[in-house]
Amino acid sequence: MKTKKMLFALLIGISSLLIITSCEYEIIEPLKIVIPPGDSVSFSLKIIPIFTDKCVTCHGTGHFAVDLTEANAYTDLFAKNMIDTADAASSVLYVKLIEVGGTHEGRSTPSEQALILAWIEDGAKNN
Ligand code: HEC
């Protein structure tokens, strides 16, 4: 009887230990794209495909807020002050995409957001 009780206590001990140690968490660092020296993020090759894939269904010409079609995206983003090369991370385009709980949460992936930020930090060139 005594050994049964001890065994039971041991089992409880082990399982509570397992429960406690299983509560791990990891810290998710924001993605950061590092541009190699002499290289740059191409607007036409890297950014336009994101717009075409994820945005133009709503942001076509004459649709919501900003025109993100290949032909007009560059001009319209600047015309509507959505790019701030002096403070890239505060650009409307970027903030809109990363805002937690905002209307655009989940519309782009963290790596797409990081690419857009890197493009703006790189001077938002029309290349
Ligand atoms: C399902 C439709 C839809 C999709 C897809 C969509 N948007 Fe929007 N977007 C809207 C609407 C509607 C507004 C205006 C209301 C608002 O701000 O949410 C808007 C507003 C914006 C604004 C203006 C924000 C401001 O404060 O003036 C930006 C920039 C923007 N979208 C970028 C994007 C980008 C980049 C993508 C693709 C990754 C995208 N949107 C995808 C519907 C969409």
Side-chain angles (χ1 to χ4, degrees), residues 39-53 70 73-74 111-112 115-116 119 122 124-127:
D39 209 348
S40 73
V41 179
S42 161
F43 183 67
S44 57
L45 296 178
K46 299 286 184 192
I47 307 300
I48 282 292
I50 301 172
F51 293 164
T52 306
D53 193 28
E70 188 171 0
Y74 193 84
S111 57
E112 288 167 340
L115 255 179
I116 287 171
W119 169 67
D122 191 33
K125 297 180 204 115
N126 192 4
N127 53 359

Short mmCIF file of all heavy atoms in Angstrom, two decimals, residues 39-53 70 73-74 111-112 115-116 119 122 124-127:
data_model
loop_
_atom_site.label_atom_id
_atom_site.label_comp_id
_atom_site.label_asym_id
_atom_site.label_seq_id
_atom_site.Cartn_x
_atom_site.Cartn_y
_atom_site.Cartn_z
N ASP A 39 24.68 46.22 -54.03
CA ASP A 39 23.43 45.65 -54.54
C ASP A 39 22.27 46.54 -54.09
O ASP A 39 22.45 47.44 -53.29
CB ASP A 39 23.25 44.24 -53.95
CG ASP A 39 22.46 43.35 -54.89
OD1 ASP A 39 21.87 43.87 -55.85
OD2 ASP A 39 22.42 42.13 -54.64
N SER A 40 21.08 46.31 -54.63
CA SER A 40 19.93 47.07 -54.15
C SER A 40 18.67 46.25 -54.38
O SER A 40 18.69 45.26 -55.11
CB SER A 40 19.83 48.42 -54.86
OG SER A 40 19.40 48.24 -56.18
N VAL A 41 17.57 46.66 -53.73
CA VAL A 41 16.30 45.95 -53.90
C VAL A 41 15.62 46.53 -55.13
O VAL A 41 15.26 47.70 -55.15
CB VAL A 41 15.40 46.13 -52.66
CG1 VAL A 41 14.08 45.41 -52.86
CG2 VAL A 41 16.09 45.62 -51.41
N SER A 42 15.47 45.72 -56.15
CA SER A 42 14.87 46.20 -57.39
C SER A 42 13.36 46.35 -57.25
O SER A 42 12.66 45.41 -56.88
CB SER A 42 15.19 45.22 -58.52
OG SER A 42 14.30 45.41 -59.60
N PHE A 43 12.87 47.55 -57.57
CA PHE A 43 11.43 47.80 -57.47
C PHE A 43 10.66 46.89 -58.44
O PHE A 43 9.70 46.23 -58.05
CB PHE A 43 11.14 49.29 -57.78
CG PHE A 43 9.68 49.64 -57.64
CD1 PHE A 43 9.06 49.63 -56.39
CD2 PHE A 43 8.92 50.01 -58.75
CE1 PHE A 43 7.71 49.96 -56.26
CE2 PHE A 43 7.57 50.35 -58.61
CZ PHE A 43 6.96 50.32 -57.37
N SER A 44 11.14 46.84 -59.67
CA SER A 44 10.39 46.07 -60.67
C SER A 44 10.47 44.56 -60.45
O SER A 44 9.51 43.84 -60.68
CB SER A 44 10.87 46.42 -62.07
OG SER A 44 12.25 46.17 -62.17
N LEU A 45 11.63 44.10 -59.92
CA LEU A 45 11.80 42.64 -59.77
C LEU A 45 11.32 42.11 -58.42
O LEU A 45 10.92 40.95 -58.31
CB LEU A 45 13.27 42.25 -59.96
CG LEU A 45 13.86 42.49 -61.35
CD1 LEU A 45 15.33 42.10 -61.38
CD2 LEU A 45 13.08 41.72 -62.41
N LYS A 46 11.38 42.94 -57.38
CA LYS A 46 11.06 42.45 -56.04
C LYS A 46 9.76 43.00 -55.46
O LYS A 46 9.06 42.31 -54.72
CB LYS A 46 12.21 42.79 -55.06
CG LYS A 46 13.53 42.16 -55.42
CD LYS A 46 13.53 40.68 -55.11
CE LYS A 46 14.89 40.07 -55.38
NZ LYS A 46 14.86 38.61 -55.35
N ILE A 47 9.46 44.26 -55.73
CA ILE A 47 8.31 44.89 -55.08
C ILE A 47 7.04 44.76 -55.93
O ILE A 47 5.99 44.36 -55.40
CB ILE A 47 8.61 46.38 -54.75
CG1 ILE A 47 9.93 46.49 -53.95
CG2 ILE A 47 7.46 47.01 -53.99
CD1 ILE A 47 9.98 45.75 -52.62
N ILE A 48 7.16 45.05 -57.21
CA ILE A 48 5.98 44.93 -58.09
C ILE A 48 5.34 43.53 -58.02
O ILE A 48 4.11 43.43 -57.94
CB ILE A 48 6.36 45.35 -59.55
CG1 ILE A 48 6.43 46.88 -59.66
CG2 ILE A 48 5.37 44.78 -60.57
CD1 ILE A 48 5.09 47.61 -59.52
N PRO A 49 6.13 42.45 -58.02
CA PRO A 49 5.49 41.12 -57.93
C PRO A 49 4.65 40.94 -56.66
O PRO A 49 3.64 40.25 -56.69
CB PRO A 49 6.68 40.15 -57.94
CG PRO A 49 7.76 40.89 -58.65
CD PRO A 49 7.58 42.33 -58.26
N ILE A 50 5.05 41.58 -55.55
CA ILE A 50 4.25 41.50 -54.31
C ILE A 50 2.91 42.21 -54.55
O ILE A 50 1.85 41.67 -54.24
CB ILE A 50 4.98 42.17 -53.12
CG1 ILE A 50 6.34 41.51 -52.86
CG2 ILE A 50 4.10 42.13 -51.86
CD1 ILE A 50 7.21 42.22 -51.82
N PHE A 51 2.98 43.41 -55.12
CA PHE A 51 1.76 44.18 -55.38
C PHE A 51 0.83 43.39 -56.32
O PHE A 51 -0.38 43.30 -56.08
CB PHE A 51 2.09 45.53 -56.02
CG PHE A 51 2.83 46.50 -55.11
CD1 PHE A 51 3.48 47.62 -55.64
CD2 PHE A 51 2.87 46.30 -53.73
CE1 PHE A 51 4.15 48.51 -54.82
CE2 PHE A 51 3.55 47.20 -52.90
CZ PHE A 51 4.19 48.30 -53.46
N THR A 52 1.41 42.84 -57.38
CA THR A 52 0.61 42.12 -58.38
C THR A 52 -0.06 40.91 -57.75
O THR A 52 -1.23 40.63 -57.99
CB THR A 52 1.52 41.67 -59.55
OG1 THR A 52 2.21 42.83 -60.05
CG2 THR A 52 0.71 41.05 -60.67
N ASP A 53 0.70 40.23 -56.92
CA ASP A 53 0.22 38.99 -56.30
C ASP A 53 -0.80 39.24 -55.18
O ASP A 53 -1.80 38.54 -55.07
CB ASP A 53 1.46 38.26 -55.74
CG ASP A 53 1.15 36.83 -55.37
OD1 ASP A 53 0.24 36.25 -55.98
OD2 ASP A 53 1.82 36.29 -54.46
N GLU A 70 1.45 47.81 -61.94
CA GLU A 70 2.84 47.95 -62.41
C GLU A 70 3.07 49.31 -63.08
O GLU A 70 4.09 49.95 -62.86
CB GLU A 70 3.15 46.80 -63.38
CG GLU A 70 4.61 46.76 -63.76
CD GLU A 70 4.98 45.50 -64.54
OE1 GLU A 70 4.09 44.65 -64.78
OE2 GLU A 70 6.15 45.38 -64.91
N ALA A 73 2.15 52.26 -59.84
CA ALA A 73 2.47 52.14 -58.42
C ALA A 73 3.52 53.15 -57.96
O ALA A 73 3.29 53.87 -56.98
CB ALA A 73 2.93 50.72 -58.10
N TYR A 74 4.64 53.23 -58.67
CA TYR A 74 5.73 54.09 -58.22
C TYR A 74 5.27 55.53 -58.08
O TYR A 74 5.45 56.16 -57.04
CB TYR A 74 6.93 53.96 -59.16
CG TYR A 74 8.17 54.59 -58.58
CD1 TYR A 74 8.99 53.87 -57.71
CD2 TYR A 74 8.53 55.90 -58.88
CE1 TYR A 74 10.11 54.44 -57.14
CE2 TYR A 74 9.65 56.49 -58.32
CZ TYR A 74 10.45 55.75 -57.46
OH TYR A 74 11.56 56.33 -56.89
N SER A 111 8.34 38.33 -44.70
CA SER A 111 9.48 38.55 -45.61
C SER A 111 9.13 39.57 -46.69
O SER A 111 9.99 40.34 -47.12
CB SER A 111 9.98 37.23 -46.21
OG SER A 111 8.96 36.57 -46.87
N GLU A 112 7.87 39.62 -47.10
CA GLU A 112 7.47 40.66 -48.06
C GLU A 112 7.55 42.04 -47.41
O GLU A 112 8.02 43.01 -48.02
CB GLU A 112 6.03 40.40 -48.55
CG GLU A 112 5.94 39.21 -49.49
CD GLU A 112 4.52 38.71 -49.74
OE1 GLU A 112 3.60 39.01 -48.94
OE2 GLU A 112 4.32 37.99 -50.73
N LEU A 115 11.13 43.06 -47.23
CA LEU A 115 11.62 43.49 -48.54
C LEU A 115 11.19 44.92 -48.84
O LEU A 115 11.99 45.74 -49.32
CB LEU A 115 11.04 42.58 -49.62
CG LEU A 115 11.96 41.54 -50.23
CD1 LEU A 115 11.21 40.72 -51.26
CD2 LEU A 115 13.19 42.18 -50.85
N ILE A 116 9.93 45.22 -48.55
CA ILE A 116 9.41 46.58 -48.79
C ILE A 116 10.17 47.59 -47.94
O ILE A 116 10.60 48.63 -48.43
CB ILE A 116 7.88 46.63 -48.53
CG1 ILE A 116 7.17 45.89 -49.68
CG2 ILE A 116 7.38 48.07 -48.42
CD1 ILE A 116 5.69 45.66 -49.48
N TRP A 119 13.62 48.06 -49.37
CA TRP A 119 13.55 48.87 -50.60
C TRP A 119 13.48 50.36 -50.25
O TRP A 119 14.17 51.19 -50.85
CB TRP A 119 12.35 48.44 -51.45
CG TRP A 119 12.04 49.36 -52.57
CD1 TRP A 119 12.81 49.59 -53.69
CD2 TRP A 119 10.90 50.24 -52.68
NE1 TRP A 119 12.20 50.53 -54.49
CE2 TRP A 119 11.04 50.95 -53.89
CE3 TRP A 119 9.78 50.48 -51.89
CZ2 TRP A 119 10.09 51.89 -54.33
CZ3 TRP A 119 8.84 51.41 -52.31
CH2 TRP A 119 9.00 52.11 -53.51
N ASP A 122 16.67 51.66 -48.83
CA ASP A 122 17.65 51.73 -49.91
C ASP A 122 17.39 52.95 -50.82
O ASP A 122 18.03 53.11 -51.85
CB ASP A 122 17.56 50.42 -50.70
CG ASP A 122 18.70 50.25 -51.68
OD1 ASP A 122 19.81 50.71 -51.37
OD2 ASP A 122 18.48 49.68 -52.76
N ALA A 124 14.20 53.83 -52.00
CA ALA A 124 12.97 53.65 -52.80
C ALA A 124 13.19 54.02 -54.26
O ALA A 124 12.50 54.88 -54.81
CB ALA A 124 11.81 54.43 -52.18
N LYS A 125 14.17 53.37 -54.85
CA LYS A 125 14.51 53.70 -56.25
C LYS A 125 13.54 53.02 -57.23
O LYS A 125 13.00 51.96 -56.94
CB LYS A 125 15.93 53.25 -56.56
CG LYS A 125 16.97 53.96 -55.71
CD LYS A 125 18.38 53.46 -56.08
CE LYS A 125 19.35 53.66 -54.93
NZ LYS A 125 19.85 52.41 -54.37
N ASN A 126 13.38 53.67 -58.37
CA ASN A 126 12.52 53.08 -59.42
C ASN A 126 13.42 52.26 -60.35
O ASN A 126 13.68 52.65 -61.49
CB ASN A 126 11.81 54.20 -60.18
CG ASN A 126 10.70 53.66 -61.06
OD1 ASN A 126 10.43 52.45 -61.04
ND2 ASN A 126 10.07 54.51 -61.82
N ASN A 127 13.91 51.14 -59.82
CA ASN A 127 14.88 50.36 -60.59
C ASN A 127 14.35 48.97 -60.92
O ASN A 127 13.29 48.58 -60.51
CB ASN A 127 16.21 50.24 -59.82
CG ASN A 127 16.02 49.72 -58.39
OD1 ASN A 127 14.90 49.46 -57.96
ND2 ASN A 127 17.08 49.57 -57.66
#
